[in-house]
Amino acid sequence: MSLNNVLPFLSTFVMFIFTASVLQRYVVRRRSAFLFWGIGLALFGLGSFAEAYLALAWSSLMFYLWYLGGAVLNAAWLGHGTVKLLFGRRRWTDVLTVILVAGSLAATALMLATPLDPTRFQPGVAISEQYREIMPPGAPVRMTTPFFNIYGLLTLAGGAIYSAYLFWRKRVLPNRVIGNILIAVGALSIGFASSLTRLGIGQYLYLGELLAAVLMYAGFRAAAAPNAERVPASESAPAAGD
Amino acid sequence: MSDRGPNLRRKPHKITDDSTFYDRLIPILFVVLIVITVALIAFALGVVTGVIPWA
């Protein structure tokens, strides 16, 4: 079994643990940001799993899951969670939610309507290196990918950088500075690997996905770590709110 | 985290003063990350507008 067979399984494993952690927080705290992150992470994990499957055998369903979950939707849903975290529930964030859901449904419909050519599939070759032969040229669903990825990059990576900057500027909660930087680096890892794939260099996608999974999970754990200590009330330093 | 006494309060962790890591390396990292983010967004916009051809 080659490295390209193993890496997607590792990404899947990390992503499902990550997804469970985030969704558990949603169940406890009921903040919509955790729900959107959980959905984004689940899409990422499904995409990784489908990628691992397709390294061994063909399945139309797995191809749809890989392309939709891994290439089209996950970054945008993750980024939207960051938007909800930073800006809360406002009219314009609700409008963005509607656009995201509608766009996702449209992309799904386009994907399901895309005729695939399984005769072009080669077992043992990374799906990121052969998907263009399997999909018809100019498939409409491929045109949707940049829009979702732009939104995802701007909100996930940009939002994490902005959050890290806010805490750094206030010189508080260093764990959240580091955590958000790790999340940003993870998001940019997969963004960079995806961009290379679009240029026809698909052999680094698996590595980019694993890096993204590990770094974003590490960032999540760092940012969520205890960030305060109990001190006698007589100490004069003012408390900064969470 | 529950209170363990009536006279305790939460004191958030702070970034230490004169920290080379936080005062020099982190700002550089911010700039690098922003540049990479902008570059990737520009690449995606290039794909959308047809400036960058699809593989």
Side-chain angles (χ1 to χ4, degrees):
Chain A
M1 187 176 268
S2 73
L3 198 60
N4 275 346
N5 295 138
V6 173
L7 291 181
F9 283 109
L10 288 177
S11 301
T12 304
F13 177 70
V14 174
M15 269 305 166
F16 280 132
I17 293 176
F18 195 177
T19 303
S21 298
V22 170
L23 288 176
Q24 189 263 341
R25 280 180 178 250
Y26 171 69
V27 168
V28 170
R29 299 192 187 179
R30 293 292 175 183
R31 292 189 70 178
S32 59
F34 291 115
L35 177 62
F36 286 103
W37 282 331
I39 292 171
L41 293 170
L43 288 168
F44 197 142
L46 283 171
S48 291
F49 175 75
E51 198 169 49
Y53 185 100
L54 289 166
L56 302 171
W58 169 256
S59 162
S60 297
L61 174 62
M62 289 299 156
F63 188 92
Y64 293 144
L65 279 177
W66 171 72
Y67 198 78
L68 274 178
V72 180
L73 300 178
N74 75 77
W77 282 79
L78 284 168
H80 195 65
T82 302
V83 170
K84 288 300 227 177
L85 178 72
L86 291 175
F87 301 107
R89 185 160 187 199
R90 303 184 184 189
R91 188 179 180 85
W92 64 269
T93 63
D94 287 344
V95 170
L96 284 176
T97 300
V98 171
I99 293 173
L100 176 65
V101 172
S104 300
L105 290 173
T108 303
L110 288 173
M111 182 78 248
L112 294 176
T114 300
L116 304 176
D117 185 358
T119 62
R120 306 296 297 272
F121 174 75
Q122 300 176 58
V125 175
I127 194 64
S128 54
E129 294 186 72
Q130 57 175 318
Y131 73 99
R132 283 177 297 277
E133 286 73 40
I134 296 170
M135 297 176 79
V141 68
R142 292 193 65 195
M143 310 299 180
T144 68
T145 312
F147 295 99
F148 285 99
N149 287 347
I150 288 170
Y151 182 67
L153 270 172
L154 195 60
T155 53
L156 180 59
I161 295 168
Y162 177 64
S163 294
Y165 172 73
L166 285 180
F167 289 114
W168 174 80
R169 191 182 65 180
K170 294 179 183 177
R171 298 193 76 83
V172 293
L173 304 178
N175 61 304
R176 292 196 180 177
V177 175
I178 301 302
N180 277 290
I181 286 176
L182 287 173
I183 290 169
V185 174
L188 293 175
S189 299
I190 187 59
F192 185 67
S194 296
S195 299
L196 288 179
T197 303
R198 194 172 298 280
L199 290 173
I201 309 168
Q203 59 265 42
Y204 299 109
L205 185 63
Y206 292 167
L207 184 59
E209 287 173 348
L210 182 60
L211 273 176
V214 170
L215 289 174
M216 288 199 292
Y217 186 50
F220 168 76
R221 294 300 300 263
N227 50 39
E229 56 186 309
R230 296 282 168 183
V231 296
S234 58
E235 283 201 16
S236 59
D242 271 349
Chain B
M1 220 190 318
S2 59
D3 283 337
R4 289 182 176 267
N7 297 318
L8 294 176
R9 59 197 296 277
R10 289 167 58 88
K11 178 182 175 184
H13 296 151
K14 292 196 168 188
I15 294 172
T16 55
D17 296 330
D18 300 325
S19 166
T20 302
F21 178 74
Y22 284 102
D23 292 337
R24 301 227 175 151
L25 290 180
I26 293 291
I28 294 172
L29 198 50
F30 281 144
V31 173
V32 169
L33 292 176
I34 289 170
V35 167
I36 295 173
T37 302
V38 169
L40 289 175
I41 291 174
F43 176 83
L45 286 171
V47 170
V48 167
T49 56
V51 171
I52 296 173
W54 293 70

